[in-house]
Amino acid sequence: MESMKSKPREATGSDLSEQIKAATKDSHVRAENTQLMLNYQKGQITQTQYKLLLCSLYEIYRALEAELDRNADHPAVQPIYFPQELARLETLELDLEHFFGPHWRKRITVPAATHKYTQRLREIGKNSPNLLVAHAYTRYLGDLSGGQVLGKITQKSLGLSGNKGVFFFSFPGVTSANRFKQLYRSRMNSIELTEQQRREVLDEATRAFEFNIEVFDDLQKMLSITEEASSGKGNDVTSKTQSKTFSSSPALQFALGVGITLATVGMGVYAF
């Protein structure tokens, strides 16, 4: 299906896709070396963490895809608008229902960091649709690149069989990930932007990575504190940190899952 939209062309150093790679290179390296990223690659994920991962991803993609749908005819969005091939919302709903049951929507909880990210997506969708290009590119091509590997890691770690619980990682509308990524880059590179608009898109791509890195750092600290608390140490530090960051222990538990969430998303992004 994707082959009907456009014929890929080779990227050059002046292409937007290449410029995004160059602009976010340092952020790539920093995020790849977070402990959370390494943990996920080692298969150190529990079902609780994965379920919370799905909650966070659902909120992020609910915001992103709502804004892409709303701006589908915008000159900067139309070329990279592939809902049949890339949309993740329905797959996340299937996975959430698998783990939480038919009333899963009542159990969705989102931490401050994810809420901040969704707010940004809705803000630019309303005021600066050009910037959606940066988020769509880094998220979708990242998930597409790392999806197969991440899906297998998750299945093995949690003892899942078939696609149940891991629909998020499959892209049935994409017959060849490599060919589709070439097509997507070609379509994105065809978007007409002024120099100022191009700089803003590059800045937004970097900003998206920085959102993730900030949460990586915060959650690594939270993980360390939680480990101390579980062994009977650092109770005073835990109490102070919880009062500053979260209002309840369930929120703290959610934060631990979000760490894996961001590591999961990041692992795909760094492969594009």
Side-chain angles (χ1 to χ4, degrees), residues 39-189:
N39 286 346
Y40 197 98
Q41 294 181 60
K42 293 176 182 177
Q44 297 175 354
I45 182 173
T46 67
Q47 186 174 108
T48 298
Q49 290 169 330
Y50 180 62
K51 286 160 66 175
L52 296 173
L53 145 70
L54 295 176
C55 291
S56 188
L57 288 175
Y58 171 76
E59 290 297 336
I60 291 169
Y61 276 101
R62 187 160 72 102
L64 176 60
E65 293 181 359
E67 296 309 317
L68 289 173
D69 290 345
R70 191 158 66 92
N71 291 282
D73 294 328
H74 188 278
V77 174
Q78 192 277 330
I80 50 92
Y81 184 63
F82 290 89
Q84 294 184 4
E85 291 86 353
L86 297 177
R88 299 289 84 205
L89 202 58
E90 289 186 9
T91 64
L92 286 163
E93 290 174 350
L94 289 173
D95 290 340
L96 287 165
E97 184 172 1
H98 172 77
F99 286 108
F100 290 110
H103 303 296
W104 59 268
R105 285 183 174 84
K106 296 180 180 179
R107 304 178 67 180
I108 292 291
T109 308
V110 179
T114 300
H115 183 60
K116 180 181 178 182
Y117 187 38
T118 61
Q119 279 187 317
R120 177 59 179 169
L121 290 170
R122 296 190 188 283
E123 175 190 345
I124 64 177
K126 180 180 180 180
N127 301 317
S128 306
N130 288 342
L131 302 184
L132 289 172
V133 174
H135 292 280
Y137 176 63
T138 55
R139 297 208 69 89
Y140 285 127
L141 263 64
D143 293 334
L144 188 59
S145 296
Q148 294 299 312
V149 173
L150 290 172
K152 290 178 181 178
I153 289 175
T154 305
Q155 283 179 317
K156 184 176 181 179
S157 299
L158 304 185
L160 301 173
S161 59
N163 287 329
K164 290 184 177 180
V166 289
F167 280 107
F168 171 74
F169 299 111
S170 13
F171 289 80
V174 177
T175 56
S176 168
N178 287 334
R179 286 202 303 269
F180 184 83
K181 285 187 290 184
Q182 286 182 325
L183 170 63
Y184 193 96
R185 293 188 189 101
S186 176
R187 298 277 292 183
M188 187 176 75
N189 293 335

Side-chain angles (χ1 to χ4, degrees), residues 20-33 206 209-210 213 270:
I20 286 180
K21 282 187 178 182
T24 59
K25 183 177 180 180
D26 291 343
S27 298
H28 280 194
V29 174
R30 289 168 54 207
E32 284 175 341
N33 286 282
T206 300
F209 278 104
E210 292 303 320
I213 292 171
Y270 308 138

Side-chain angles (χ1 to χ4, degrees), residues 183-233:
L183 170 63
Y184 193 96
R185 293 188 189 101
S186 176
R187 298 277 292 183
M188 187 176 75
N189 293 335
S190 72
I191 297 171
E192 294 185 5
L193 299 170
T194 66
E195 285 304 312
Q196 177 62 29
Q197 289 172 332
R198 184 175 290 255
R199 284 193 296 271
E200 290 172 353
V201 169
L202 297 179
D203 288 342
E204 190 68 22
T206 300
R207 185 171 185 176
F209 278 104
E210 292 303 320
F211 279 148
N212 288 339
I213 292 171
E214 288 173 8
V215 178
F216 281 165
D217 292 340
D218 288 347
L219 291 178
Q220 185 58 51
K221 293 175 185 177
M222 189 64 68
L223 284 167
S224 299
I225 292 171
T226 304
E227 288 171 358
E228 290 178 2
S230 66
S231 62
K233 299 178 181 179

